[in-house]
Amino acid sequence: MLRAVAQAFNRGRHLLVEAGTGTGKSMAYLIPAALWSLQNNQRVVISTNTINLQDQLIHKDIPDLRRILGIDLRAVVLKGRANYLCPRRWESFRRRGPENADEMRVFGKVLNWLRYTTTGDRAEINLNSPAERQVWLRLSAEDEGCTADTCLKTSGGRCPFFRARQAALGAHLVVVNHALLLTDVALGHRVLPDYDYLIIDEAHHLEEATTNALAFHVTYYDLEKLLSALGGPKHGILGWLLTATQGVLTASTYGQLAAMVEGVTNHAFQVEQTARRFFQEVERFMREQREGEPLGTYAQQERILPATRRQPAWLQVEMAWEEVERCLNPLLEGLKQLGQVTLEVQEALSEADQELASALNGPYRRLVEFTTHMNSLVFEPREDQIYWAEVQGDGTLPSLHVAPLHIGSLMERYIWQEKAAVILTSATLTAAGEFDYLRNRLNAAEADELALGSPFDYETSALLYVVNDIPEPTDRNGHQRAVENALVRLCRATGGRALVLFTSYEQLRRTSTAIAPLLAREDILVYEQGEGASPHALLETFRSAERAVLLGTRAFWEGVDVPGEALSVLVIARLPFDVPSDPVVAARAETFDDPFYEYSLPEAILRFRQGFGRLIRTQSDRGVVVVLDRRVLTKKYGRLFLESLPPCTVKVGPLSEVVETTRRWLNL
Ligand code: SF4
């Protein structure tokens, strides 16, 4: 891998490298990247999906490399603007003081944090609720209108974002995350300094991370909050504007400004009213789509397709949106004018009011974004976007969503064509031994490829046991009973030490409720992924518990790293196919001639391989993977799952023998 990466850099080629667990992947790209950067005076950007990997690179691998090779290698982490505190906004907030409980909590946290932070990076503080994160956004460097020149004098070089960017400019290696990589260029934020050499680790996540970063969603409540922050003549940002300019403007100009504020307040009120009607109309439309049936356990998601827009019921939604737009246009115009006036008098404003223009600009930008997305959702869809509405069963109004259909074209435009050499790597890039799926998703037709196995001896360390006599998952109750039965027996035999991977939270809950009391009698604890603890905290607890079983869904199919005996059994309850009705999955599936074989299957195989990879983390690990979905045996596609795994010992047998076989394999 090291040689291949070095060659790709030397020859200016793009490369896809799959390297199994234990290869030492990060060193295999860090060494050539570091030497290339030092010798050619070229910056190399390294993108990861998880914070864990970022931390590992910056706190362990790169320092090791520096020490061992004796090189003066400068490496930094650079994040999106919204991660850094903006001292100017903070100062203005501090002078005005918090106005509500959320602001008060964030105020307290930041005040305390500022005593010791050297980075100004929000990862160092806990911002728990969405409301707190909203307050943070208003204090962050998110406003891309700022430049070092505009505020160097006020922030005195204390701006964490500009310091981080400055450090990145002088670094050999710049570590970023996938979300930043493409949004930075696609949305024109330009946070990253120029670079020609790029390494994308955990590359199987690039599409999902970019999709999430570019996706837009909005609820009526978001809009309500935004307009309430805007306020009116006596409160909020508009109230602040009038207080700040009193005494600065002549009486008559001030009078005009007050009238403008009055007008904007009225328009904002009308937008709020009409927007409520608009979201209510969407809700009515959704109800009509389910023919008045009450909502079940799951949220209802309706894609907005050309055919949807032709339905008579959609007409009401269109009319309601037209009403919103009628009020939005003068509101936007008014806000723009207020922004101009503020900029004109900025110099005369007090220190505490310097943030006013940027405070006004925030809601303006968000309203423009809202208008653009809603216009295309309702009337003028773009071919490269997916639109849908979603309603929960909790009585709240629906949310509206927009996401990119394909990120391949962005990759082509901003990455493949722009950069001299790009390396994509991960332990799982191939499905059924081929890179085709990834190439297709990322428009990576031209890249070279290299697939390296794992140095681990899976044949002696991992046993794959496929149960052949349980009902298929289509028989929901039968399959569920078999899963519960298998888990109880297995866990009793192994004293826990098991990770069970599910594809739905509902099945996880059902299983947990059924098995937890039975296992409790044997002093075995059942930990389940849920709304409370974060996956990270749950893993820590599982690692340190003596007799425990961990039940997880999505986040646990990968990223779980429990070496040693604490994890000796991995159970795959069901093959990890995506939910076909998910709007993004459904829209993407439609772009294939054979959606199942070309899209759903490779996605599921990639995740299956990720899941399997949780078991053996070191040379000395030993364990059993039990597959409780016999479609790997009965379906034509099943063998593709098995063939995608590293060569391990495979046994196919009845449920009744799984315990004994596991015992023998683990020498229990
Ligand atoms: S440059 Fe100024 S306005 Fe921009 S984030 Fe830094 S301190 Fe804030």
Side-chain angles (χ1 to χ4, degrees):
M1 176 170 175
L2 190 150
R3 198 177 300 121
V5 173
Q7 275 173 1
F9 274 48
N10 281 328
R11 296 175 186 166
R13 303 277 310 166
H14 303 322
L15 172 69
L16 314 174
V17 196
E18 177 177 277
T21 321
T23 308
K25 215 168 6 94
S26 53
M27 278 300 164
Y29 63 70
L30 280 175
I31 294 171
L35 296 179
W36 173 269
S37 176
L38 283 162
Q39 288 172 16
N40 298 286
N41 206 16
Q42 287 272 358
R43 190 174 296 122
V44 179
V45 168
I46 301 170
S47 183
T48 75
N49 186 53
T50 59
I51 294 178
N52 278 354
L53 181 57
Q54 265 188 16
D55 284 348
Q56 182 201 313
L57 293 177
I58 215 80
H59 298 305
K60 184 175 176 305
D61 295 347
I62 294 174
D64 280 353
L65 198 64
R66 216 180 264 138
R67 193 168 38 79
I68 293 163
L69 297 183
I71 47 178
D72 179 20
L73 183 70
R74 288 185 301 278
V76 294
V77 171
L78 184 62
K79 302 184 177 179
R81 284 171 176 272
N83 289 283
Y84 300 97
L85 182 81
C86 164
R88 214 172 82 165
R89 288 171 149 192
W90 165 253
E91 193 52 29
S92 159
F93 178 58
R94 200 180 61 80
R95 284 179 201 239
R96 277 184 303 123
E99 285 177 357
N100 54 44
D102 293 322
E103 290 194 354
M104 183 60 101
R105 268 198 303 275
V106 176
F107 184 77
K109 285 181 185 179
V110 174
L111 203 59
N112 184 35
W113 168 59
L114 282 177
R115 296 198 340 241
Y116 64 84
T117 181
T118 51
T119 63
D121 176 352
R122 62 157 273 188
E124 294 172 352
I125 43 172
N126 261 332
L127 297 167
N128 306 323
S129 68
E132 285 184 20
R133 289 193 285 270
Q134 237 6 75
V135 177
W136 166 266
L137 271 190
R138 296 204 298 273
L139 300 177
S140 76
E142 195 219 7
D143 176 10
E144 66 265 21
C146 73
T147 64
D149 296 343
T150 56
C151 73
L152 258 189
K153 57 179 190 298
T154 44
S155 68
R158 288 179 300 122
C159 172
F161 169 65
F162 271 93
R163 273 213 318 254
R165 199 167 182 280
Q166 216 49 44
L169 277 170
H172 299 105
L173 306 181
V174 181
V175 181
V176 302
N177 65 29
H178 293 352
L180 179 63
L181 196 63
L182 274 176
T183 48
D184 190 49
V185 272
L187 303 179
H189 292 172
R190 307 265 167 208
V191 169
L192 291 180
D194 290 342
Y195 64 95
D196 286 324
Y197 295 85
L198 170 65
I199 293 164
I200 303 179
D201 198 346
E202 301 177 315
H204 60 287
H205 269 302
L206 186 62
E207 184 179 32
E208 191 187 6
T210 310
T211 303
N212 291 341
L214 290 175
F216 171 86
H217 66 98
V218 66
T219 64
Y220 164 71
Y221 312 102
D222 298 331
L223 196 69
E224 197 185 30
K225 234 179 254 153
L226 180 72
L227 295 172
S228 131
L230 192 61
K234 291 202 164 48
H235 62 284
I237 301 168
L238 294 175
W240 177 17
L241 172 64
L242 287 185
T243 324
T245 47
Q246 203 165 24
V248 171
L249 299 172
T250 61
S252 75
T253 322
Y254 184 76
Q256 283 169 4
L257 186 73
M260 278 164 71
V261 165
E262 195 72 50
V264 165
T265 311
N266 288 337
H267 293 309
F269 177 73
Q270 285 162 4
V271 166
E272 196 194 316
Q273 299 292 307
T274 51
R276 176 175 265 280
R277 275 202 295 281
F278 166 62
F279 280 93
Q280 282 167 340
E281 280 304 334
V282 177
E283 187 189 34
R284 200 187 47 74
F285 174 81
M286 303 278 283
R287 211 170 336 140
E288 217 159 281
Q289 298 302 301
R290 56 176 200 271
E291 295 172 340
E293 288 290 313
L295 272 170
T297 351
Y298 298 111
Q300 179 194 359
Q301 294 176 318
E302 285 295 328
R303 274 173 68 201
I304 314 297
L305 298 161
T308 317
R309 296 185 185 88
R310 286 195 295 272
Q311 286 185 35
W314 188 252
L315 195 65
Q316 301 299 325
V317 176
E318 286 185 356
M319 280 161 43
W321 172 247
E322 273 172 349
E323 277 302 304
V324 187
E325 257 206 308
R326 246 194 290 283
C327 310
L328 260 170
N329 292 336
L331 173 62
L332 288 175
E333 189 48 40
L335 280 175
K336 203 163 147 190
Q337 285 174 9
L338 289 180
Q340 275 157 4
V341 173
T342 314
L343 279 179
E344 279 161 25
V345 297
Q346 178 125 354
E347 297 234 317
L349 294 179
S350 75
E351 191 77 3
D353 298 327
Q354 289 300 313
E355 263 316 283
L356 196 49
S358 130
L360 266 171
N361 191 34
Y364 173 76
R365 271 192 301 121
R366 251 166 267 150
L367 285 169
V368 169
E369 195 185 16
F370 170 68
T371 314
T372 316
H373 283 303
M374 289 307 102
N375 245 331
S376 52
L377 182 139
V378 177
F379 290 123
E380 295 162 356
R382 280 175 39 181
E383 277 189 1
D384 57 353
Q385 288 189 328
I386 307 164
Y387 304 94
W388 75 99
E390 193 170 315
V391 66
Q392 310 286 337
D394 58 1
T396 52
L397 287 168
S399 51
L400 294 166
H401 304 250
V402 183
L405 178 61
H406 207 284
I407 67 151
S409 49
L410 290 178
M411 282 296 288
E412 206 168 322
R413 179 158 161 215
Y414 296 116
I415 304 288
W416 303 125
Q417 288 176 3
E418 282 280 307
K419 310 298 171 200
V422 181
I423 318 291
L424 259 69
T425 184
S426 156
T428 48
L429 291 182
T430 63
E434 304 288 342
F435 283 90
D436 299 6
Y437 176 67
L438 184 89
R439 284 184 187 280
N440 174 298
R441 297 312 300 159
L442 302 178
N443 288 16
E446 301 294 320
D448 300 334
E449 62 181 49
L450 175 69
L452 300 162
S454 162
F456 295 164
D457 178 2
Y458 282 97
E459 262 190 274
T460 51
S461 61
L463 168 71
L464 179 79
Y465 190 96
V466 185
V467 180
N468 63 2
D469 63 347
I470 64 170
E472 289 197 4
T474 36
D475 170 4
R476 271 184 78 198
N477 290 333
H479 180 253
Q480 178 63 25
R481 273 196 304 276
V483 169
E484 291 163 9
N485 180 1
L487 289 180
V488 171
R489 287 166 49 187
L490 261 172
C491 292
R492 274 184 186 146
T494 56
R497 299 159 55 187
L499 168 67
V500 190
L501 297 175
F502 292 90
T503 52
S504 86
Y505 187 59
E506 196 215 343
Q507 193 188 11
L508 181 152
R509 285 307 310 269
R510 268 179 83 181
T511 311
S512 172
T513 315
I515 68 170
L518 300 173
L519 292 178
R521 288 188 212 146
E522 321 268 327
D523 285 335
I524 299 171
L525 288 169
V526 176
Y527 294 113
E528 60 172 81
Q529 183 185 356
E531 313 224 315
S534 69
H536 181 73
L538 211 53
L539 258 183
E540 283 305 311
T541 323
F542 173 70
R543 247 188 222 126
S544 54
E546 285 255 312
R547 293 164 68 80
V549 189
L550 178 58
L551 314 184
T553 58
R554 193 101 199 209
F556 286 84
W557 282 82
E558 58 185 291
V560 172
D561 196 359
V562 185
E565 290 191 352
L567 176 54
S568 300
V569 181
L570 174 81
V571 182
I572 293 181
R574 215 184 146 134
L575 294 178
F577 284 107
D578 272 326
V579 183
S581 60
D582 177 276
V584 175
V585 173
R588 290 187 173 157
E590 281 164 13
T591 62
F592 292 90
D593 294 334
D594 184 345
F596 181 75
Y597 272 94
E598 292 174 68
Y599 180 59
S600 308
L601 189 60
E603 272 288 319
I605 291 177
L606 279 173
R607 205 166 301 132
F608 183 74
R609 297 183 61 210
Q610 284 283 347
F612 179 88
R614 297 311 99 211
L615 187 70
I616 305 295
R617 307 303 298 166
T618 67
Q619 231 28 295
S620 57
D621 275 2
R622 189 173 169 81
V624 180
V625 177
V626 179
V627 179
L628 295 175
D629 189 335
R630 68 188 179 104
R631 287 178 295 178
V632 286
L633 305 171
T634 58
K635 301 288 181 203
K636 219 164 67 195
Y637 59 76
R639 63 176 179 81
L640 296 176
F641 280 91
L642 300 181
E643 285 169 12
S644 287
L645 297 178
C648 55
T649 304
V650 181
K651 278 216 161 92
V652 176
L655 186 59
S656 57
E657 284 176 22
V658 70
V659 170
E660 200 36 49
T661 315
T662 302
R663 260 208 191 110
R664 254 184 281 128
W665 188 264
L666 297 176
N667 298 322
L668 294 174

